Amino acid sequence: MATTLRERPAALNLTATAHARIADLMGRAPADAIGVKLSTPRRGCSGLAYSVDYVTDAKPFDERIETPGGTLFVDGGSILYLIGSTMDWVEDDFTAGFVFANPNAKGACGCGESFTV
């Protein structure tokens, strides 16, 4: 009996504007940066926050997502909190930043800076 492998679904979905923002970030990245990394450090009123930073080396358990503008790494310890999420880049008259639609989040603080699972 032959085993049929199906393509593994993406751990994180990115919108076209998120792809464009990653390309913009990588266009201005420090020379030693190999991509940007999404993590969920413990911070804020609800416990976890989203953080995006340049990364200079890949860790063994990081999820690697190739985008048209560069590589997005997702912290291996954060991936379970983010599976099925959508990452978007939103700009308006007052703010600009990555916005996450996270089906795993059970609540968020009033200011929207942190979430809980």
Side-chain angles (χ1 to χ4, degrees):
M1 176 183 229
T3 302
T4 303
L5 297 177
R6 61 185 170 101
E7 188 175 325
R8 189 171 99 182
L12 182 72
N13 301 303
L14 282 80
T15 65
T17 54
H19 283 289
R21 181 59 180 169
I22 290 171
D24 181 53
L25 288 170
M26 290 309 298
R28 296 183 283 137
D32 60 345
I34 62 169
V36 293
K37 185 173 186 174
L38 171 62
S39 60
T40 57
R42 298 206 177 279
R43 189 179 332 146
C45 311
S46 292
L48 298 170
Y50 301 103
S51 178
V52 178
D53 300 293
Y54 290 112
V55 65
T56 57
D57 62 330
K59 303 291 185 215
F61 294 104
D62 287 350
E63 183 79 18
R64 185 183 189 118
I65 301 171
E66 296 298 334
T67 74
T71 305
L72 172 68
F73 294 89
V74 181
D75 177 66
S78 300
I79 196 70
L80 290 176
Y81 305 132
L82 299 169
I83 291 175
S85 295
T86 299
M87 181 177 176
D88 193 12
W89 175 260
V90 177
E91 291 185 43
D92 62 26
D93 291 339
F94 302 104
T95 62
F98 286 108
V99 176
F100 298 86
N102 187 343
N104 306 301
K106 301 297 181 218
C109 66
C111 64
E113 291 296 318
S114 63
F115 68 99
T116 186
V117 290

